[in-house]
Amino acid sequence: MGVKRKAAAAILVLLLCLGSLWLQGGLDYHWDSCLKAYNQVNKPPLQNQPHQLSNSSEADETQGPPVLALCPGQHFQVSVLVSHLLAAQAYTSDVLLQPYLSSWDELVKFMESLGPMVSLISNEIETKTAIIRQLALLSEKSPEAEFVPDMHSGDSQTGVKKFAGDPQGAYHSVRSMIWTELNRGIVDFHHQTDSGCRTLLRLHRALLWLKLFLEKLAETPTAGRLRSPSDLCREAYQNTLSHHHTWFVRRAAELAFIALPERGFFFRLVCVQNQEELSVVLTRVVDAIGEIYDRTQKALEENAMLDLP
């Protein structure tokens, strides 16, 4: 019995390590800290206040697709996710951080619904979103005024001074955060830091994995059987996040995907009856995620931040 308990404890430590390494892209640097986690009690996730929004944007009110309804009995709500994603689209090329992080809150619920193996990964994502929220809070509490340029005026020299508590300040959007951290010297292009930009990059990579998984799940083949969600998730991972992980993490992650539920579970999760209806709903989600991903990708690429350590 003692041997079984030790084996179970070892497996638990491995799973916790995977969760912490998921967005880091490596194993060696963090191995010692993973071992120390053996006797630690997991802290409850930070309580984040969601950004309450309707499931539409001003641009969609007259000609957009119909509003998605709430799905009774489900913790994850696809309609809420789409609302946050639409609200995050600012101007023509920027992303508002508050609804962006609220989108991740809902995506975390989605991952938690897939089972304990995937929910360990969602814990690490919650840590990332908490970092950006904390940076924004500290920036708001700063007694000093700061000059934040108008990112959309076409003139980088124009702008206004932003004071503590101003919602249009340093961490108002992706581009304002990038500008602020570059000018404050917070971003390090050679060493790991907890800067908002580096943290955003890790979330950005994970968002591509989820986008590709949902895109594959929405596909309806003209012939042949539908592929299992487990295979689709593993394939999406291989094409995205696996490029930033060590061999060990890749093998362990792919084993975790074996435990994913079957396709019928996803029908119930978003309150649809068949694959055709699932495809319609997930296409809405994928399109909204794609717009956020493209805007973030462009902002990071313009500032040479796609490979921050």
Side-chain angles (χ1 to χ4, degrees):
M1 193 64 182
V3 174
K4 290 183 179 179
R5 287 199 185 99
K6 291 180 180 179
I11 292 174
L12 177 60
V13 170
L14 175 60
L15 293 177
L16 291 173
C17 287
L18 284 177
S20 65
L21 293 171
W22 183 259
L23 301 180
Q24 303 295 338
L27 174 66
D28 298 336
Y29 180 82
H30 302 275
W31 184 247
D32 290 339
S33 62
C34 286
L35 292 178
K36 292 178 182 178
Y38 184 89
N39 290 319
Q40 292 182 352
V41 176
N42 288 334
K43 296 181 179 179
L46 293 175
Q47 297 298 319
N48 297 321
Q49 295 182 350
H51 185 62
Q52 297 300 324
L53 301 163
S54 62
N55 185 23
S56 63
S57 65
E58 292 183 1
D60 291 334
E61 285 181 355
T62 58
Q63 60 183 1
V67 173
L68 294 173
L70 291 175
C71 188
Q74 296 293 348
H75 186 48
F76 164 71
Q77 293 291 337
V78 66
S79 60
V80 176
L81 172 59
V82 172
S83 294
H84 292 319
L85 291 168
L86 292 176
Q89 300 173 21
Y91 304 98
T92 58
S93 62
D94 207 353
V95 176
L96 299 180
L97 281 177
Q98 183 177 351
Y100 172 81
L101 296 175
S102 294
S103 300
W104 270 114
D105 292 340
E106 206 62 31
L107 286 169
V108 164
K109 296 177 185 177
F110 169 74
M111 287 185 285
E112 288 175 343
S113 70
L114 302 183
M117 300 291 284
V118 180
S119 65
L120 288 170
I121 299 168
S122 69
N123 289 339
E124 178 61 18
I125 289 178
E126 285 187 302
T127 300
K128 298 300 182 188
T129 58
I131 289 174
I132 297 179
R133 283 184 165 114
Q134 182 65 18
L135 289 171
L137 183 62
L138 292 175
S139 178
E140 289 178 3
K141 290 182 176 179
S142 173
E144 300 178 358
E146 54 184 329
F147 181 86
V148 180
D150 184 348
M151 301 297 165
H152 314 285
S153 66
D155 181 2
S156 61
Q157 301 302 315
T158 63
V160 293
K161 284 189 176 182
K162 306 297 181 183
F163 295 87
D166 188 342
Q168 302 294 320
Y171 289 85
H172 173 65
S173 72
V174 166
R175 289 184 177 274
S176 67
M177 178 179 70
I178 290 175
W179 186 92
T180 298
E181 293 197 339
L182 282 175
N183 282 273
R184 291 179 179 176
I186 297 176
V187 179
D188 194 319
F189 289 86
H190 305 289
H191 301 92
Q192 292 188 12
T193 65
D194 281 336
S195 70
C197 292
R198 178 187 182 274
T199 304
L200 175 68
L201 176 61
R202 269 57 188 177
L203 292 172
H204 182 63
R205 291 170 177 174
L207 189 62
L208 180 59
W209 160 58
L210 286 173
K211 174 184 178 292
L212 187 56
F213 171 49
L214 294 175
E215 193 174 76
K216 292 177 178 294
L217 197 61
E219 293 176 351
T220 303
T222 56
R225 297 180 57 184
L226 292 168
R227 298 175 61 192
S228 72
S230 176
D231 288 343
L232 297 177
C233 191
R234 181 171 62 252
E235 185 176 284
Y237 170 79
Q238 290 171 343
N239 292 331
T240 55
L241 277 175
S242 70
H243 302 314
H244 309 286
H245 291 167
T246 64
W247 178 90
F248 177 82
V249 175
R250 290 197 302 270
R251 297 287 80 78
E254 291 176 10
L255 286 175
F257 298 142
I258 296 176
L260 255 63
E262 294 299 322
R263 189 172 292 265
F265 168 85
F266 294 91
F267 293 171
R268 297 187 295 274
L269 186 63
V270 298
C271 289
V272 299
Q273 301 297 319
N274 51 51
Q275 177 61 28
E276 288 73 21
E277 293 179 1
L278 180 67
S279 180
V280 171
V281 172
L282 293 187
T283 297
R284 284 280 307 276
V285 177
V286 169
D287 288 346
I289 290 178
E291 180 65 26
I292 297 299
Y293 179 86
D294 291 344
R295 292 176 180 219
T296 307
Q297 175 80 3
K298 183 177 181 181
L300 292 171
E301 185 175 19
E302 287 175 353
N303 292 277
M305 291 184 175
L306 291 177
D307 295 304
L308 290 177

